[in-house]
Amino acid sequence: MLEKERFLAIKKLANKIRKDNEDLFKKFEKESVEDAINEKEEFIENVIDSMGIHFDDGEQGREEKQIFRANILLPDDLDFFETYSKDKNIRNLMNKYQVSIEDVMSKITELNIYGDYIDTFAGDTDDFVDEMVNISSKEAENLLDEIEDLSNVMESLNVLSDDIEEEPKEEKPLLTPHEIFASKPEEVKEDEEIDDLANISNAVDGFVNNYNQLHANLDEANEQINSLKEEINELKKNNLEAVSALNSEKDAKNRLEAENIKLKDQMNEMKNKLNKTSALLKRIYDSIPKDR
């Protein structure tokens, strides 16, 4: 868990970047969910590179980047909380905000763990946490079904090729269920409440396992996408060079045509002068008396 000062500093920077680029995000709203997610991903990576933003190493650095991303993509904490309170369907949240499942879960995690750091929820942390984990066993099952559907979609896209051997990569485990749904200890008054909490814990355990696999698949997809982007950029570069050369040839051709027109005008002018001179000489010649 991050220190309060570090958390608020990252959140403030992310909110400023979002505010400075609000017009760009309004344009994203007009695009499809898939295109918007891809362009937002590219935007965030460009921001990190161009601004030289540094995150700590290891697990803390990954958590810092998650908080940074979530506050650029989902800057309005109160709006997200109210939306989540009314509809805990993850897919609906992804479509509404045009973000990936990872960013939705990062925002839930952030508000759950750091709620007492945020002015909007300060003093109401207990009620806030209760609402964030207020999920029935049926809703938990639906959540797992969503994750399974997303996994099937990734498999249908053949993100990973069975014919290519790839070196195993270090897994990036999601925050544990305890970290995601951390709440202050409360007295359990009824056995039914114990059962609900057990259902939540089991459901989230299954979600984390499925999510980690989906995250690995998405990493592979992003690598292929980045590779394609590099090829496209190279093609664009070559195309620009060809267009530039063509424009240079057109400019040279236009200059030659203009010079040709100028020379023709000069020739016509000289021809007219020659004709006038010839006529004048003829008149002078005709006026000279001839010996008989």
Side-chain angles (χ1 to χ4, degrees):
M1 182 171 177
L2 305 183
E3 296 293 334
K4 181 176 181 179
E5 292 75 12
R6 179 64 173 171
F7 168 79
L8 293 178
I10 293 174
K11 190 175 183 70
K12 182 178 180 180
L13 174 61
N15 287 336
K16 182 180 185 305
I17 291 172
R18 173 58 185 261
K19 184 177 180 180
D20 291 343
N21 293 275
E22 198 61 46
D23 290 341
L24 178 61
F25 277 84
K26 287 181 180 179
K27 293 180 181 179
F28 290 154
E29 293 175 1
K30 300 177 182 179
E31 300 181 355
S32 67
V33 174
E34 182 179 358
D35 289 343
I37 289 175
N38 290 335
E39 293 191 23
K40 288 176 182 179
E41 177 71 27
E42 185 175 356
F43 169 78
I44 290 176
E45 292 303 322
N46 287 339
V47 166
I48 293 174
D49 291 340
S50 62
M51 296 182 66
I53 299 174
H54 174 72
F55 300 107
D56 287 339
D57 297 328
E59 184 66 25
Q60 178 165 320
R62 191 168 70 86
E63 185 178 0
E64 290 177 350
K65 187 173 182 180
Q66 286 178 333
I67 292 171
F68 178 73
R69 289 174 56 92
N71 280 280
I72 290 179
L73 300 176
L74 301 163
D76 193 328
D77 297 331
L78 184 58
D79 175 73
F80 182 86
F81 170 64
E82 292 177 346
T83 301
Y84 179 84
S85 300
K86 296 174 184 176
D87 183 6
K88 293 182 174 63
N89 185 290
I90 302 299
R91 190 185 297 274
N92 290 345
L93 292 171
M94 292 167 60
N95 291 334
K96 173 180 173 61
Y97 294 107
Q98 295 179 306
V99 296
S100 68
I101 184 173
E102 179 181 14
D103 294 313
V104 171
M105 295 307 299
S106 293
K107 194 65 178 180
I108 293 174
T109 302
E110 174 199 342
L111 298 184
N112 206 352
I113 295 178
Y114 298 99
D116 56 348
Y117 287 175
I118 303 172
D119 292 339
T120 305
F121 304 110
D124 299 321
T125 306
D126 292 341
D127 295 336
F128 170 71
V129 172
D130 287 343
E131 179 58 42
M132 294 302 285
V133 299
N134 182 21
I135 179 171
S136 67
S137 58
K138 180 61 177 176
E139 289 174 322
E141 291 177 5
N142 292 337
L143 176 61
L144 293 178
D145 289 340
E146 290 179 48
I147 304 304
E148 183 177 357
D149 289 343
L150 290 172
S151 298
N152 291 335
V153 170
M154 293 302 300
E155 290 176 3
S156 67
L157 293 175
N158 293 322
V159 177
L160 297 178
S161 174
D162 295 333
D163 298 330
I164 301 177
E165 294 185 2
E166 299 196 16
E167 295 182 1
K169 294 186 177 180
E170 181 181 354
E171 295 184 357
K172 300 177 181 178
L174 188 66
L175 295 176
T176 65
H178 175 72
E179 292 173 321
I180 294 179
F181 294 98
S183 61
K184 295 183 177 179
E186 297 181 358
E187 293 183 1
V188 179
K189 298 179 180 180
E190 299 180 4
D191 293 339
E192 183 178 348
E193 293 181 7
I194 297 177
D195 292 337
D196 286 341
L197 289 175
N199 288 335
I200 292 172
S201 179
N202 292 334
V204 175
D205 280 337
F207 163 76
V208 170
N209 292 333
N210 285 295
Y211 177 79
N212 283 334
Q213 181 60 47
L214 177 61
H215 190 279
N217 291 347
L218 288 174
D219 283 344
E220 296 295 337
N222 286 332
E223 286 186 6
Q224 293 189 10
I225 290 171
N226 289 331
S227 178
L228 289 174
K229 284 181 178 178
E230 290 178 1
E231 293 181 12
I232 292 172
N233 288 335
E234 185 64 25
L235 290 174
K236 286 182 178 179
K237 178 182 177 182
N238 294 337
N239 186 48
L240 288 174
E241 291 176 352
V243 170
S244 177
L246 181 60
N247 288 337
S248 296
E249 292 180 1
K250 287 182 178 179
D251 289 342
K253 179 182 176 182
N254 291 336
R255 286 196 299 270
L256 289 174
E257 289 179 348
E259 187 68 22
N260 189 37
I261 292 173
K262 182 179 179 181
L263 290 173
K264 285 183 178 179
D265 290 340
Q266 290 177 349
M267 288 180 65
N268 288 333
E269 185 178 354
M270 292 180 65
K271 184 177 180 180
N272 290 334
K273 288 182 178 179
L274 180 61
N275 289 337
K276 290 179 180 180
T277 301
S278 296
L280 179 59
L281 290 175
K282 187 175 185 304
R283 288 175 56 189
I284 293 174
Y285 175 79
D286 291 339
S287 65
I288 296 175
K290 305 293 189 296
D291 293 336
R292 295 184 180 179

